[in-house]
Amino acid sequence: MRAQPETQRRLPHMIVDRYEPVNLLDLIPELRLEMEPELAALDRLLDDDKLFLQIKADFSKRHPNSERLGRRSTPVEVILRMLIVRRLYDWSFEATERNVSDSLILRQFCRLYLEAAPDDTTLIRWAKLIGADTLEDLNERVVVLAFERKVTRGRKLRSDATVVETNICHPTDSGLLGDGVRVLGRLMGKAKEILGQSGEVFRNRSRSAKRLGRSIAEGTRRRGEEAKEASKAAYERLLGVARASLKQASKVQQMLRSEEAPLSGRLADELERFEGLLERVVEQTERRVLSGESVAASEKLVSLFEEHTSIIARGKASKKSEFGRKVWLSEVEGGIITGYRILEGNPSDEKQLLPTLEDHLRLFGGPPRLVAADRGVYSSANEEAAREMGVKRVALPKKGAKDTQRQRHEQQGWFRRARRFRAGVEGRISVMKRRGYLGRCRDKGEEGFGRWVGWGVLTSNLHAIARAQAAR
C-alpha cells in the first residue's frame, strides 16, 4: 500500500465534538451576567450525550472519512445548540449567526465561547445533513427525558391534526404554466453555455408566458361571456407556449445526454424533472380550463418547486383550503408532543387513532388511562380497539344523532372533563404556530419539510421541559 504524504497524515479530524470549555460569564464579573432560568434549564437538558451522538452520527455520513480526515469542523455541540436557538426564537440562519455572535449569554449557551460563530451558509450545510428520521429519534429521546424528570407520566393522551403550510404562492394554472416556462428557459440557457451552441432550440419564451399570464389575471377581473372567451383564448396561447418550451427542452435534454461532462448529466436530469412537472400542469389546465372538467384535489399539482404540497380543505371560514401537509400530533399531560406524523393528502382522522396508541405503547410501555380526540376520530371500532389495548377511558364524541344511552355516556363527568382536556391540544397547536415551530415551512423540498416539522416539535418539547424545571 502506498504511504500517505506526511501532511495528509497530520490532518486533524474533520468532525469535532466540542471546544475547550470557557465560562464567559465569569470573565466579566462586574456585568453580573446570567442565563434566564428557562435557558439555563435547557442548557442542562442539552448535555444529554444520546442527543449529541445521534447528531454526530448523521454528520459523520457527509464523507466516507469525515471522522478521520479533513480540516477541523465547527463542533457538533455548537451546531446542535445553534440550530435549536434558531427555532426557539424563530430566527433565520443569518439572524442566528448574528445574534449568537453578538450575545455573551448565547455564546455561552451554544458553547461557542471566544471562537468565531459559524457562517449562516455553514449552518445550512450542516442542517441539511440531519435527516427527518434522526429528528424523530431525537424527539423520542426527549420524551424519555421528560418522563425521567417527571414532567409527564403519559397517563392522558390527546390527539389532533393541523396543517403546516409550504412556502408557495397561491396556485393558479396560469402562474404554474408561467413558472414552468421560466424554469425551462433558465435551464436551457445554462445548457447553451455548456454545449456552446445557439439557435431556435434555446429560445427563452418567459416574456411571452409572463405577458399572457398578466392578460389572464386582468381578464379575471371582468365579467360576462366575452371576458370568459378572451380568458380561454389567452389560456390556449399560453398552453401553446408551454408545449413549445417542452419540445425545446426535450431536444436540449437529448443533446446534453450525448455529452460526457458530469455537469451535463445533472442538468439533463433537472430538465427531465421539470419537463414532467410542466406536462402535468399542461394536462390539468387542459382538463380544467378548456374541457371544463373538475379535477380532484389529489390529482392537482399546486407548485413546481414544492411538488409534495397537498390541497387540504379544513372547512374553516377564514381559510377554506390550505396548501401544505397535514400533520397529526399526539400530546400527553405536561405539554409534551410524544409523536407526529406527516400525512399524505387529506386522509380521514378516523384512521389515525390506532397508530397513535401503538406509538404510545412503544414509548411508555403501557397504554394511557385516558385518550381523547375530536368527533372526526370517532367510530365504534376505534372505541373497541382502544379498550382492547388497555385504555380505561376513551373520550371520542360521536358525530350526528345520538340515542339516549349515548347521550348519558357523553354526559358523564369524566367524559366532559376529558373533552375539556382534549381542547388543550388546540391551544398547543396555536402556540406552536405563533412561535414558528409549526409555522409556514421555510425549508425546501419534502425532506426539508420533514426537518422543519421535526425541529419544531423537538424545540417545543425541550422548551416545555425547561419551563417545567425552571418553575420548580
Side-chain angles (χ1 to χ4, degrees), residues 334-396:
I336 304 299
I337 305 294
T338 57
Y340 63 93
R341 295 194 304 279
I342 300 171
L343 308 179
E344 290 288 341
N346 189 14
S348 170
D349 291 354
E350 186 180 321
K351 300 177 182 178
Q352 309 308 320
L353 182 64
L354 295 186
T356 297
L357 289 173
E358 289 168 359
D359 286 344
H360 189 94
L361 285 167
R362 181 174 53 82
L363 278 172
F364 291 94
R369 293 181 183 176
L370 167 73
V371 61
D374 61 16
R375 298 177 189 275
V377 181
Y378 171 80
S379 73
S380 56
N382 275 345
E383 284 190 327
E384 185 179 348
R387 292 192 184 100
E388 288 177 356
M389 287 183 176
V391 182
K392 293 181 179 179
R393 291 181 169 179
V394 183
L396 303 178

Side-chain angles (χ1 to χ4, degrees), residues 23 45 112 118 175 212 274 290 294 297 317 320 331 358 366 371 375 417 438 469:
N23 194 330
L45 195 61
L112 188 61
L212 289 168
F274 279 102
L290 302 186
S294 179
K320 293 182 179 180
E331 184 189 9
E358 289 168 359
V371 61
R375 298 177 189 275
R417 288 192 296 274
L438 293 181
Q469 290 189 306

Side-chain angles (χ1 to χ4, degrees), residues 121-133:
T121 56
T122 301
L123 283 175
I124 291 170
R125 283 197 300 272
W126 285 114
K128 286 182 178 179
L129 294 178
I130 302 173
D133 293 340

